[in-house]
Amino acid sequence: QSALTQPASVSGSPGQSITISCTGTSSDVGGYNYVSWYQQHPGKGPKLMIYDVTNRPSGVSNRFSGSKSGNTASLTISGLQAEDEADYYCSSYTSGSTLEVFGGGTKLTVL
Amino acid sequence: EVQLVESGGGLVQPGRSLRLSCGVSGFSFGDYAMSWFRQAPGKGLEWVGFIRSNLHGGTTDYAASMQGRFTISRDDSKGIAYLQVNSLKTEDTAVYYCNRRLKASAFDYWGQGTLVTVSS
């Protein structure tokens, strides 16, 4: 069982917006602004999409945005495109014995 | 162009040891912490641990579940990070990824992964 809770799947049509939630506790998501989001296509390594809750690495489309409220972080993808179909994972720094915790992943389907 | 290439995976019998390597290019290896993750077949990402740069002591931290059997090291002269896994178990079967740790919870460059299969 993953430390952070994500929905197993979300879907949307091209051009629409979707939001993926990531719920933790005050020891991780709620306690630090060190939340990241990763995109993983089948058979590929993950790609960092968002870090520090809201920051996009160079080269990541501005259609991807992050936010946080309390113990829940969110990834929003606007203007959905076919290539956005992938698995998405959230992660957070934690004060626990394991410094980094992950969500179980969300499969995004673009209809 | 930043590149990370893992190697050393394969089929290993339970109880044996394995050392994975991660060669990097395209950035100043010694300036960054390096981390390892794994992903069991059909499962999510699991953080193994990381090693700080020698500027920050070269110390390591591991996931609680990885303490004891996993050891991360680095050779800055060669630009290689290593993951030693001892007493392999069938549940260690996974694709192992190395990556560059930008900061807490932000791993910005990843390799393609190397598959470790633990089976008799």
Side-chain angles (χ1 to χ4, degrees):
Chain A
Q1 188 171 351
S2 301
L4 306 180
T5 300
Q6 299 180 233
S9 63
V10 298
S11 62
S13 299
Q16 287 185 332
S17 295
I18 63 95
T19 297
I20 300 172
S21 62
C22 171
T23 301
T25 69
S26 58
S27 296
D28 40 64
V29 174
Y32 304 92
N33 287 323
Y34 295 134
V35 176
S36 298
W37 290 90
Y38 298 85
Q39 176 192 65
Q40 186 179 33
H41 287 107
K44 303 290 187 182
K47 176 184 178 182
L48 179 65
M49 306 301 285
I50 297 287
Y51 69 98
D52 289 355
V53 180
T54 60
N55 292 342
R56 276 189 310 276
S58 174
V60 173
S61 170
N62 60 9
R63 296 186 300 105
F64 292 82
S65 62
S67 63
K68 189 182 82 167
S69 178
N71 296 337
T72 298
S74 299
L75 172 71
T76 297
I77 308 173
S78 59
L80 269 179
Q81 299 179 1
E83 59 261 37
D84 298 333
E85 185 163 292
D87 294 325
Y88 291 84
Y89 294 90
C90 63
S91 74
S92 174
Y93 182 82
T94 175
S95 60
S97 56
T98 292
L99 297 182
E100 306 285 354
V101 288
F102 273 73
T106 298
K107 181 175 179 60
L108 169 61
T109 300
V110 180
L111 302 170
Chain B
E1 179 189 9
V2 172
Q3 285 192 320
L4 293 82
V5 180
E6 301 93 339
S7 60
L11 177 62
V12 187
Q13 291 180 327
R16 303 296 290 267
S17 296
L18 194 66
R19 189 177 78 161
L20 305 179
S21 300
C22 172
V24 311
S25 60
F27 67 93
S28 182
F29 179 78
D31 290 345
Y32 289 89
M34 298 295 296
S35 181
W36 287 89
F37 281 73
R38 70 181 184 180
Q39 187 170 35
K43 301 296 184 182
L45 296 168
E46 184 177 24
W47 179 67
V48 173
F50 81 103
I51 184 167
R52 296 172 178 82
S53 68
N54 285 325
L55 285 172
H56 292 90
T59 53
T60 53
D61 275 300
Y62 301 94
S65 61
M66 310 291 175
Q67 294 275 1
R69 296 192 299 119
F70 294 76
T71 302
I72 298 173
S73 59
R74 63 189 299 155
D75 185 336
D76 287 4
S77 67
K78 296 181 179 179
I80 300 177
Y82 300 99
L83 174 65
Q84 174 84 24
V85 188
N86 298 327
S87 303
L88 280 157
K89 305 176 182 180
T90 56
E91 52 264 40
D92 293 323
T93 293
V95 175
Y96 285 75
Y97 295 99
C98 73
N99 51 54
R100 187 177 83 169
R101 184 179 186 264
L102 180 65
K103 59 186 306 186
S105 213
F107 306 93
D108 59 349
Y109 289 101
W110 295 64
Q112 84 290 349
T114 186
L115 176 62
V116 174
T117 303
V118 184
S119 175
S120 54

